[in-house]
Amino acid sequence: MASITFAAIDVGSHELSMKIYEMSKQRGIRELTYIRHKISLDTETYTKGFISYQSVDEICKILNDFKRSIKEYGAEVIQAYATSALREASNSLVVIDQIKIQTGFHVCTLSNSEARFLYFKAVALREQSFEDLIEEGTLVIDIGAGSVQLSFFENGKLQLTQNLLLGSSRIRELLEAMREETYDFQGLIDEYIERDLVYFQKLNLHSTTVEHIIAVGEMIPEIYYYIQKDHSDFDGTLPSKWLNRNKFPKDLIGTQATLFLPTLILCQKISDLTNCDDILLSNINLCDVIAAEYAEKKMRITSTHNFTEDILSASLSIANKYHVDREHVENVQALALQIFDRIRKLHGLGKRERLLLQLGVILHSCGSYITEIQSRECSYRIIMSTEIIGISHIERAMIANMVRYNEASFPRFEDLEEDFTRDEYITIVKLNAILKTANVLDKSNRQKIKKVGVTLQDGILTITADTMADITLEKGLFYHKADVFEEVFGIRPQLRQKRSGKRG
């Protein structure tokens, strides 16, 4: 495939937009056209809770208009996505169905964690300085309509991330009713957002130094282009003089006050809390994000950044919050991955499922922080209520259920069919069996078995533990877990001990 013409559609909170790109391995991603139509879905979702029929009709008319450009440019692939304004509407499924019927477009809704992670990918691909910045300590602030995601990178990896319900539209709609009663609308917004931001700063950034801030999100490109109209040399760096006072230039705000102010004040407040005035506004929008994701998967156009390591790093941050035994986790992870890799032909799973297994191992004991008696149930609830950046909601539910039944029999498909497809259920069962087998090898949490050899021959999976320690407990418990493993994979694992005296 030499090149492809790709259309990305964003059913956004403030507008419907479409970008058409030409993609090739040799020349990368080149934007051909950018079309936008204003629409205020966020106003309806965050005040009424649903999207009106009139708005649905308007959406469909705009999308049908987009078809003319798609035909003109000969776009071969079309993808349409939506985020919080459509996702959080009570009638989102009805709206998506009507769009499909009236336009033929299938709109996919991105979860918060998926959307934020895809923005990372797009920034890494488009911003040439990204790799250098995240080595020094960079806070990426993704300001959406409904929330803001704060993600801290250091030493080239994602160290922590947290979502706060402080999105620009949410702030604006909550405070708009009070605007007539105050002379200081900007001060009112500042007071409203300060509590959550200060809490995040004290909880997560108290011992770190933020050298740079990269701002992305729905309104950031708007602000970027608005500044660029009057300042042609603008390179995205927000002027520090705007961050050292409580007023922004009137010509910047103008009639856009209610749209720009919440976003600008969030940038300003985060700058104050982190003592960092190096803020880079990125003009990347969701269409660019959609294109970057497609280019990576289908065209193998990628950045050099390892995003899988970011997912694992963010999960370790969650595990550390609940004071998990890191040595136990690392040992079980090594054992689980060895088993997974050795029986690859039996389970038929891929890289993504291998990652889900790793995440399950990392988070399987976090519930012990609350209680040992029902630790697996607590781990399940922690995982289900904690977003993992880069992991979809259904994948998070798969991880949670893998962990939930680590000590108990896995339920029948009929008991979980409302939550998972048959294929998803089978995947969880397989990963659960591997987790149980690996976890029992370090049941005492003493890391008596650190080095194992895994062989598969004549229908028998032999796990050879190279250790001088007494593993009588592990052998006894392993015998019972072998039944589960055999039931799932059709082979019986056996545990043998080799005493070489070598350290793993």
Side-chain angles (χ1 to χ4, degrees):
M1 186 186 296
S3 66
I4 193 170
T5 306
F6 178 85
I9 298 172
D10 172 18
V11 183
S13 301
H14 306 105
E15 67 179 23
L16 264 68
S17 60
M18 179 178 70
K19 287 188 177 184
I20 298 178
Y21 308 83
E22 183 182 67
M23 297 181 183
S24 68
K25 184 71 174 178
Q26 292 73 29
R27 291 179 290 180
I29 304 172
R30 184 168 68 94
E31 183 181 316
L32 301 178
T33 189
Y34 182 20
I35 306 170
R36 309 161 66 194
H37 285 273
K38 294 294 182 184
I39 191 168
S40 299
L41 298 184
D42 58 325
T43 302
E44 291 189 334
T45 296
Y46 300 129
T47 56
K48 300 176 183 178
F50 64 92
I51 295 173
S52 67
Y53 175 79
Q54 290 78 10
S55 291
V56 175
D57 188 53
E58 184 180 0
I59 291 170
C60 292
K61 286 180 180 177
I62 294 170
L63 291 177
N64 280 322
D65 284 342
F66 284 174
K67 286 183 177 180
R68 283 189 277 272
S69 293
I70 290 172
K71 185 177 181 179
E72 178 185 347
Y73 284 91
E76 298 139 288
V77 180
I78 306 159
Q79 290 188 352
Y81 283 86
T83 51
S84 60
L86 180 54
R87 183 182 68 236
E88 295 185 23
S90 61
N91 61 336
S92 61
L93 294 178
V94 174
V95 174
I96 291 171
D97 181 64
Q98 281 299 304
I99 291 173
K100 180 71 181 296
I101 292 170
Q102 296 185 42
T103 70
F105 290 122
H106 176 66
V107 178
C108 298
T109 55
L110 291 169
S111 69
N112 177 70
S113 58
E114 288 177 299
R116 309 301 189 176
F117 190 66
L118 293 182
Y119 261 106
F120 289 161
K121 287 187 174 183
V123 170
L125 192 63
R126 292 275 299 270
E127 298 291 350
Q128 295 181 351
S129 60
F130 180 75
E131 287 297 320
D132 293 331
L133 294 179
I134 63 174
E135 285 290 338
E136 300 177 358
T138 295
L139 186 65
V140 177
I141 56 175
D142 183 350
I143 304 172
S147 65
V148 58
Q149 190 84 24
L150 303 173
S151 304
F152 181 69
F153 289 81
E154 194 173 38
N155 300 322
K157 288 184 180 180
L158 177 64
Q159 302 297 329
L160 60 93
T161 184
Q162 186 167 330
N163 184 255
L164 303 175
L165 294 178
L166 291 174
S168 57
S169 295
R170 198 182 298 272
I171 293 171
R172 187 177 75 250
E173 296 306 325
L174 284 171
L175 299 178
E176 187 67 28
M178 295 181 279
R179 188 175 185 183
E180 298 301 324
E181 301 176 15
T182 180
Y183 294 102
D184 187 10
F185 182 51
Q186 182 174 327
L188 188 63
I189 298 175
D190 187 83
E191 180 182 348
Y192 177 76
I193 67 179
E194 183 172 8
R195 178 182 173 277
D196 281 348
L197 287 178
V198 169
Y199 176 75
F200 172 79
Q201 192 265 346
K202 287 182 177 179
L203 185 65
N204 294 307
L205 295 177
H206 62 280
S207 60
T208 59
T209 301
V210 177
E211 300 288 349
H212 314 281
I213 293 173
I214 300 176
V216 299
E218 291 190 58
M219 292 307 303
I220 298 297
E222 292 277 344
I223 297 170
Y224 182 102
Y225 292 124
Y226 200 92
I227 297 172
Q228 199 175 57
K229 279 196 306 183
D230 297 323
H231 305 81
S232 58
D233 60 341
F234 179 64
D235 63 355
T237 303
L238 194 64
S240 58
K241 62 181 180 180
W242 294 359
L243 301 170
N244 295 327
R245 58 183 181 175
N246 290 325
K247 291 184 179 179
F248 297 103
K250 290 182 179 180
D251 63 331
L252 171 66
I253 299 169
T255 58
Q256 302 289 331
T258 58
L259 290 176
F260 285 178
L261 266 179
T263 297
L264 286 168
I265 293 175
L266 274 167
C267 290
Q268 182 193 62
K269 198 66 181 178
I270 292 169
S271 172
D272 291 343
L273 290 172
T274 57
N275 294 314
C276 175
D277 59 5
D278 181 20
I279 297 185
L280 175 67
L281 303 181
S282 175
N283 62 351
I284 291 168
N285 65 11
L286 189 64
C287 289
D288 300 315
V289 169
I290 298 167
E293 176 70 357
Y294 181 85
E296 178 186 29
K297 286 186 175 181
K298 302 296 183 180
M299 309 290 289
R300 298 293 186 266
I301 303 171
T302 63
S303 69
T304 58
H305 188 71
N306 189 331
F307 288 99
T308 298
E309 287 299 318
D310 286 338
I311 296 173
L312 292 170
S313 179
S315 299
L316 280 171
S317 177
I318 297 168
N320 289 336
K321 180 180 178 180
Y322 294 98
H323 301 286
V324 301
D325 184 337
R326 283 290 296 272
E327 290 188 354
H328 170 69
V329 164
E330 290 170 5
N331 197 38
V332 174
Q333 182 177 200
L335 296 169
L337 294 181
Q338 285 186 68
I339 295 171
F340 182 95
D341 293 339
R342 182 61 64 181
I343 65 168
R344 198 178 291 273
K345 290 183 179 180
L346 290 174
H347 58 59
L349 303 177
K351 290 182 179 179
R352 190 65 178 182
E353 290 79 16
R354 190 180 191 270
L355 175 61
L356 299 185
L357 176 62
Q358 284 183 270
L359 300 180
V361 173
I362 291 169
L363 300 170
H364 79 277
S365 59
C366 57
S368 296
Y369 179 78
I370 299 173
T371 175
E372 283 289 349
I373 298 174
Q374 293 183 314
S375 62
R376 301 308 176 211
E377 183 66 26
C378 291
S379 293
Y380 166 82
R381 296 190 180 279
I382 287 171
I383 295 168
M384 288 300 292
S385 60
T386 306
E387 285 195 328
I388 304 172
I389 200 76
I391 297 296
S392 69
H393 175 77
I394 192 65
E395 288 175 324
R396 181 155 48 104
M398 292 170 72
I399 295 167
N401 279 277
M402 182 204 322
V403 168
R404 188 181 201 179
Y405 300 104
N406 184 28
E407 299 290 347
S409 298
F410 207 86
R412 301 173 306 163
F413 173 66
E414 289 74 18
D415 297 326
L416 297 175
E417 64 179 334
E418 291 186 4
D419 301 316
F420 303 106
T421 65
R422 193 173 294 275
D423 287 343
E424 289 164 351
Y425 172 83
I426 292 171
T427 297
I428 306 169
V429 169
K430 291 176 180 178
L431 297 180
N432 174 261
I434 296 173
L435 173 60
K436 284 178 175 176
T437 305
N439 190 44
V440 79
L441 295 175
D442 192 33
K443 190 63 179 177
S444 64
N445 283 37
R446 295 180 180 180
Q447 292 78 58
K448 291 188 287 185
I449 301 174
K450 291 185 177 181
K451 184 179 179 182
V452 300
V454 183
T455 60
L456 176 61
Q457 189 174 7
D458 299 328
I460 298 175
L461 183 74
T462 302
I463 299 175
T464 304
D466 189 351
T467 177
M468 299 293 291
D470 180 358
I471 60 170
T472 304
L473 172 65
E474 284 74 14
K475 283 183 176 179
L477 294 172
F478 186 88
Y479 178 81
H480 295 289
K481 299 298 181 184
D483 293 337
V484 176
F485 197 92
E486 184 177 22
E487 182 182 339
V488 174
F489 296 110
I491 59 171
R492 187 163 187 86
Q494 60 180 12
L495 177 61
R496 289 182 176 175
Q497 183 173 9
K498 180 176 75 171
R499 294 181 173 89
S500 69
K502 296 180 181 178
R503 294 184 178 274

